Amino acid sequence: MSVEAVLWDMDGTLLDSEKLWDVPLYEFAEKMGGTLSLETRQAMVGSNVPTTMALLFAEVGLTPTEEETADGAAWIMRRTEEVFRAGLPWRPGAREALRAVRETGVPMALVTSTERALTEVALDTIGRDLFDVTVCGDEVEGRNKPLPDPYLKAATLLGVDAAACVAVEDSPTGVRSAVAAGCTVLVVPCDVPVPPGERRVFRDSLVGVDLAVLGALRA
């Protein structure tokens, strides 16, 4: 079965950036007078801004106003941009896998929970030319991963059926989103384990991944 498009997650999949997100998240918790636990941090992996902020404030025992939540999110975004601009590390094999698939001419999309402003910073490292479309966390009307909307939007923008696409993901949240959209998913876990399930094929890294590897997932 052919692959009509490849849909790539960003944080933890292409870039080893979840560890960079640690910096502002732990700093913010300390700024609020608390400490971010490993369990709560792992629950944030692959999630969206509203979920992350709710988890952060709950962790430090505060009930924020809407203004405080917005101010906190803005602080985290500013600090994360500083960290991103200092350098973004690739996940093993990711750069080569992107280029290998791109050279075949198969359409590609970047589908990330990260907001547009930070994604644009990351694209300075990844390369905008690799993607036909990009869908960011603030562009799905509050229906971010684990809901299927980001992947469905990417497929629609590419003019393909999501069920004929392969998504590449690292987190439980992202995998749930892609599966719900109907995609076959190549799962390369990064910081948290991903449970087995339908239309999920696991791999230790993206080393050696090309269109033939991805196409075999749908055979």
Side-chain angles (χ1 to χ4, degrees):
M1 298 176 67
S2 63
V3 177
E4 292 191 5
V6 181
L7 315 177
W8 305 84
D9 173 54
M10 184 175 77
D11 293 298
T13 298
L14 296 177
L15 300 174
D16 200 6
S17 45
E18 288 293 350
K19 297 175 181 63
L20 302 184
W21 278 97
D22 284 349
V23 175
L25 294 174
Y26 280 97
E27 286 180 352
F28 185 79
E30 292 174 3
K31 184 170 177 282
M32 294 294 101
T35 301
L36 180 60
S37 68
L38 177 60
E39 181 182 7
T40 300
R41 173 64 186 102
Q42 289 183 335
M44 297 173 179
V45 173
S47 70
N48 50 60
V49 173
T51 298
T52 295
M53 296 310 300
L55 288 168
L56 269 172
F57 279 106
E59 184 83 326
V60 299
L62 298 176
T63 303
T65 63
E66 288 187 11
E67 183 178 2
E68 288 170 336
T69 297
D71 287 346
W75 185 91
I76 288 171
M77 290 301 165
R78 288 193 300 272
R79 184 70 179 101
T80 305
E81 181 175 347
E82 293 174 0
V83 176
F84 273 27
R85 290 193 183 281
L88 284 164
W90 286 91
R91 291 279 289 149
R95 191 201 308 253
E96 296 76 12
L98 279 172
R99 297 289 178 185
V101 177
R102 187 60 172 173
E103 287 171 3
T104 68
V106 169
M108 300 208 313
L110 185 70
V111 186
T112 176
S113 292
T114 298
E115 296 189 355
R116 171 61 65 179
L118 276 178
T119 300
E120 288 297 325
V121 175
L123 284 169
D124 290 339
T125 292
I126 301 170
R128 291 172 181 78
D129 60 307
L130 293 172
F131 305 102
D132 298 282
V133 301
T134 57
V135 176
C136 300
D138 52 346
E139 297 171 344
V140 287
E141 300 176 352
R143 294 183 58 82
N144 209 340
K145 302 176 185 178
L147 296 174
D149 299 58
Y151 281 103
L152 291 174
K153 181 173 182 176
T156 298
L157 290 171
L158 291 173
V160 300
D161 182 356
C165 297
V166 171
V168 187
E169 272 282 357
D170 74 295
S171 72
T173 299
V175 170
R176 284 170 57 197
S177 174
V179 168
C183 303
T184 298
V185 189
L186 176 63
V187 186
V188 185
C190 182
D191 291 317
V192 295
V194 177
E198 61 174 336
R199 297 197 307 282
R200 307 174 189 198
V201 180
F202 289 77
R203 194 179 176 99
D204 291 335
S205 79
L206 289 172
V207 174
V209 169
D210 57 17
L211 188 61
V213 170
L214 298 177
L217 303 184
R218 302 193 65 243

